[in-house]
């Protein structure tokens, strides 16, 4: 399997090159040249997450040997990292809806599923491509990716990691989770700006050929752990298959019957993995794209116009507070039948004017696959409260966006699987506020009170967090990311 650029500006590369590069050096994202078909026998009667992962990876990461893939999978998906043997737990909400809990990993958010395996994939990828450079992973995070990437990459050989997050744009717990990370090769930097400032800054560093050449002379290269890296996306395809197999096995649907997946969305990575699962033959009818008040995606899907020049809101689902949804580019590439000229033109327009608009044929293709909508903060809180009172199930604020939106499609009689993207403990104050009213600000109090209210054990990622020493406290202005990186790479090894 070879990977091509969404903008047609780079020759095809292997899977390991894709993972090593992160994004296309000239701008654009790598996508598989075609998607392999996965027969139902590869997942339907199989209860081992690890085994399904192997079936999904083998036809996609074709220059990895089966033994290498098995080694990566076995290191990542162990009881040491995930507190459930099935990696992902499935919880029925009612007759029609099932929650797919993606948050059982070491940082309590779904990004662990990809970031626990990606460092292993990258290490093998470097060996295969004869790459002896020291790799510096640059990450822009709206909160959850940062800690998940730090946990995945800390102390990885020949790799360092630098994480940028918006100074006032993440929760106290998220901030503390990142700031207390140990490991000889980690750095965490707060930026006085929003997530898009962080992401734009990182993208500019990647896209600077002069800087890359300078670093190469010092034996250093940049790579990415953001969801623009194929090594992030590919592992996310797996749980769509295991989730589907679960609802078939438990008789919720007939074998082969299509389901909808509803995904709380920000950068469009998670839902895109669902789309790729659909392309690989998984019986998926619609993918429901759930946005919060930063509804740039739901506006795009309803009007055909992507316009990022709009007000940015900080909401109670901060990991979805995004105006530039990077992975949409890959989806549009697919929707145009691989028209890289068209995709390149749209993203040029986005860079220069802040918006682009797609043609009718593309909109029609999108409507075949996507349903969308957005949910405001009040609805999020009301949903958390109602689901707790009626079902005894505590949702986090991101998951609640998905659950609330799934209720607007009551006319459809598809069974729906909703992605639960974070443990409620990760956003305890917002969740407790929704359940009890009032404003609570001490996150550790919230965790304790939420535990006694819900009766469920505190997530393992958050136990003992309060007592860990803060090791990273740097804060910079948006214009200083480049010099900060240049300074940090001399100290990280
Ligand atoms: C990252 C994140 C999302 C958004 O996922 P994308 O892949 O960026 O669309 C949603 N919820 C939580 C809790 C997250 O951490």
């Amino acid at each position: 399997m070879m990977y091509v650029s969404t903008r047609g500006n780079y020759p095809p590369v292997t899977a390991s090159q894709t993972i090593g590069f992160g994004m296309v050096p000239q701008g654009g994202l790598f996508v598989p040249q075609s998607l392999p078909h996965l027969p139902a026998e590869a997942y339907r009667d199989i209860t081992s997450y690890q085994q399904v992962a192997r079936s999904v990876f083998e036809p996609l990461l074709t220059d990895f040997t089966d033994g290498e893939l098995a080694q990566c999978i076995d290191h990542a998906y162990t009881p040491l990292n995930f507190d459930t043997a099935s990696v992902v737990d499935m919880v029925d909400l009612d007759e029609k809806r099932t929650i797919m809990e993606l948050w059982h990993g070491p940082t309590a958010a779904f990004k662990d599923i990809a970031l626990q395996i990606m460092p292993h994939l990258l290490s093998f990828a470097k060996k295969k491509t004869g790459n002896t450079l020291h790799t510096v992973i640059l990450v822009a995070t709206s909160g959850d990716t940062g800690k998940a990437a730090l946990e995945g990459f800390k102390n990885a050989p020949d790799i360092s990691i630098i994480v940028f997050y918006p100074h006032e744009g993440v929760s106290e717990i998220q901030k503390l989770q990142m700031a207390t990370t140990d490991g000889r090769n980690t750095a965490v930097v707060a930026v006085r700006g929003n997530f898009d400032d962080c992401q734009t800054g990182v993208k500019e560093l990647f896209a600077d050929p002069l800087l890359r050449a300078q670093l190469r002379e010092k034996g250093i290269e940049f790579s990415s752990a953001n969801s623009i890296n194929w090594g992030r996306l590919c592992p996310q395809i797996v749980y769509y298959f295991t989730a589907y197999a679960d609802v078939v096995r438990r008789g919720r649907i007939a074998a082969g019957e299509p389901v909808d997946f509803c995904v709380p969305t920000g950068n469009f990575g998670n839902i895109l993995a669902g789309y790729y699962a659909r392309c690989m033959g998984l019986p998926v009818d619609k993918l429901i794209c759930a946005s919060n008040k930063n509804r740039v995606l739901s506006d795009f899907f309803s009007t055909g116009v992507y316009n990022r020049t709009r007000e940015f809101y900080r909401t109670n689902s901060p990991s979805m507070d995004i105006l530039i949804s990077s992975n949409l580019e890959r989806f549009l590439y697919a929707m145009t039948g691989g028209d890289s000229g068209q995709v390149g033109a749209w993203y040029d327009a986005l860079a220069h004017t802040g918006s682009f608009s797609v043609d009718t044929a593309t909109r029609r293709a999108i409507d075949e696959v996507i349903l969308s909508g957005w949910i405001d903060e009040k609805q999020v809180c009301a949903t958390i409260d109602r689901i707790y009172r009626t079902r005894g199930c505590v949702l986090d604020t991101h998951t609640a966006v998905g659950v609330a939106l799934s209720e607007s499609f009551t006319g459809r009689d598809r069974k729906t699987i909703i992605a639960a993207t974070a443990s409620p403990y990760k956003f305890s104050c917002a969740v407790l506020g929704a359940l009890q009213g009032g404003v609570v600000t001490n996150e550790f109090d919230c965790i304790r009170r939420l535990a006694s209210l819900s009766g469920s054990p505190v997530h393992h990622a958050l136990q003992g967090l309060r007592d860990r020493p803060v090791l990273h406290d740097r804060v910079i202005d948006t214009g200083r990311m480049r010099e900060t990186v240049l300074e940090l790479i001399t100290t990280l090894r």
Side-chain angles (χ1 to χ4, degrees):
M1 175 70 63
M2 297 299 279
Y3 291 78
V4 296
S5 168
T6 48
R7 301 190 197 173
N9 54 359
Y10 208 80
V13 299
T14 63
S16 47
Q17 287 173 314
T18 316
I19 292 171
F21 279 141
M23 66 184 281
V24 180
Q26 280 85 339
L29 301 174
F30 287 114
V31 289
Q33 210 153 29
S34 63
L35 281 151
H37 180 82
L38 204 63
E41 305 80 67
Y43 59 91
R44 218 157 57 197
D45 298 318
I46 294 174
T47 51
S48 154
Y49 188 91
Q50 293 79 352
Q51 197 177 332
V52 176
R54 234 164 284 156
S55 303
V56 169
F57 290 169
E58 277 169 15
L60 286 169
L61 307 178
T62 44
D63 65 334
F64 288 68
T65 67
D66 291 356
E68 287 167 344
L69 290 177
Q71 214 174 313
C72 292
I73 289 164
D74 292 346
H75 276 118
Y77 303 122
T78 71
L80 279 177
N81 295 331
F82 289 84
D83 66 10
T84 172
S86 48
V87 180
V88 171
D89 273 353
M90 302 292 286
V91 177
D92 294 333
L93 201 55
D94 49 36
E95 275 300 293
K96 267 174 66 176
R97 297 180 296 173
T98 300
I99 302 261
M100 134 172 111
E101 289 182 351
L102 302 176
W103 43 256
H104 289 278
T107 76
F110 85 92
K111 295 181 172 74
D112 287 328
I113 295 179
L115 281 162
Q116 281 301 308
I117 192 164
M118 186 190 160
H120 301 292
L121 293 172
L122 181 61
S123 286
F124 278 117
K126 283 182 71 177
K127 279 194 202 118
K128 288 177 174 304
T129 51
N131 177 354
T132 54
L133 298 171
H134 182 86
T135 304
V136 176
I137 303 284
L138 297 179
V139 180
T141 183
S142 55
D144 291 336
T145 307
K147 179 59 175 175
L150 287 161
E151 279 305 306
F153 281 101
K154 76 177 183 194
N155 298 326
D158 296 320
I159 302 176
S160 305
I161 172 165
I162 304 176
V163 171
F164 294 97
Y165 72 91
H167 186 40
E168 305 288 347
V170 303
S171 79
E172 263 322 292
I173 295 278
Q174 288 177 319
K175 193 176 283 196
L176 205 56
Q177 278 189 304
M178 290 190 277
T180 56
T181 308
D182 54 3
R184 56 165 173 78
N185 60 341
T186 61
V188 180
V189 181
V191 177
R192 292 187 192 92
N194 60 34
F195 168 70
D196 289 317
D197 295 323
C198 297
Q199 181 161 259
T200 304
V202 164
K203 279 187 182 170
E204 278 169 12
L205 292 173
F206 279 124
D208 182 341
L210 198 67
L211 178 65
R212 291 177 88 104
Q214 281 172 351
L215 291 179
R216 198 160 271 270
E217 277 174 23
K218 296 184 192 157
I220 295 171
E221 62 162 9
F222 285 149
S223 192
S224 153
N226 278 94
S227 62
I228 52 177
N229 190 314
W230 181 250
R232 277 282 303 278
L233 267 177
C234 181
Q236 297 182 5
I237 299 171
V238 177
Y239 48 73
Y240 287 90
F241 284 98
T242 59
Y244 181 85
D246 172 87
V247 289
V248 171
R249 211 160 36 236
R250 293 190 296 115
R252 303 263 299 172
I253 58 166
E257 180 183 338
V259 295
D260 291 342
F261 277 94
C262 178
V263 186
T265 299
N267 226 345
F268 209 75
N270 198 0
I271 193 168
L272 181 70
Y275 172 70
Y276 286 144
R278 187 182 190 268
C279 295
M280 291 171 75
L282 188 69
V284 177
D285 187 352
K286 292 290 196 277
L287 293 160
I288 303 174
C289 175
S291 299
N292 67 16
K293 196 176 174 186
N294 291 298
R295 55 186 214 257
V296 65
L297 281 172
S298 78
D299 284 356
F300 171 66
F301 289 127
S302 61
T303 64
V305 179
Y306 192 98
N307 187 351
R308 70 173 168 90
T309 48
R310 58 172 69 214
E311 195 173 342
F312 175 83
Y313 301 102
R314 287 207 179 104
T315 73
N316 56 8
S317 46
S319 301
M320 295 160 64
D321 291 345
I322 284 172
L323 294 183
I324 302 171
S325 224
S326 306
N327 273 302
L328 182 68
E329 179 168 343
R330 287 185 160 114
F331 186 61
L332 291 177
Y333 179 84
M335 292 297 106
T336 57
D339 186 345
S340 55
Q342 179 59 266
V343 172
W346 286 333
Y347 279 83
D348 271 352
L350 184 67
H352 293 115
T353 69
S355 75
F356 65 82
S357 99
V358 300
D359 53 277
T360 332
T362 306
R363 289 191 66 188
R364 223 173 281 133
I366 291 172
D367 291 343
E368 286 291 307
V369 188
I370 297 279
L371 292 171
S372 69
W374 68 285
I375 298 296
D376 69 22
E377 292 181 275
K378 263 206 186 125
Q379 290 169 280
V380 165
C381 292
T383 303
I384 292 172
D385 185 45
R386 179 169 42 81
I387 297 294
Y388 173 65
R389 280 188 289 104
T390 57
R391 310 273 160 205
C393 172
V394 183
L395 305 173
D396 101 288
T397 45
H398 304 74
T399 307
V401 170
V403 169
L405 186 66
S406 73
E407 288 164 8
S408 8
F409 301 104
T410 43
R412 291 178 65 72
D413 50 337
R414 289 275 177 242
K415 296 287 192 318
T416 305
I417 298 173
I418 304 168
T421 51
S423 157
Y425 282 110
K426 191 149 193 185
F427 300 93
S428 292
C429 286
V431 171
L432 198 69
L435 294 174
Q436 300 199 319
V439 182
V440 226
T441 52
N442 183 316
E443 299 225 24
F444 290 101
D445 268 1
C446 293
I447 289 177
R448 205 169 25 78
R449 287 164 60 186
L450 193 58
S452 69
L453 190 75
S454 72
S456 62
V458 174
H459 193 286
H460 61 109
L462 301 165
Q463 290 170 12
L465 178 60
R466 178 180 225 161
D467 306 318
R468 273 174 233 154
V470 169
L471 303 171
H472 309 271
D473 57 4
R474 192 187 280 251
V475 186
I476 63 163
D477 289 329
T478 46
R480 307 188 75 117
M481 287 171 63
R482 185 194 173 103
E483 64 186 84
T484 303
V485 166
L486 287 174
E487 182 202 323
L488 285 170
I489 55 178
T490 60
T491 60
L492 295 174
R493 272 304 155 116

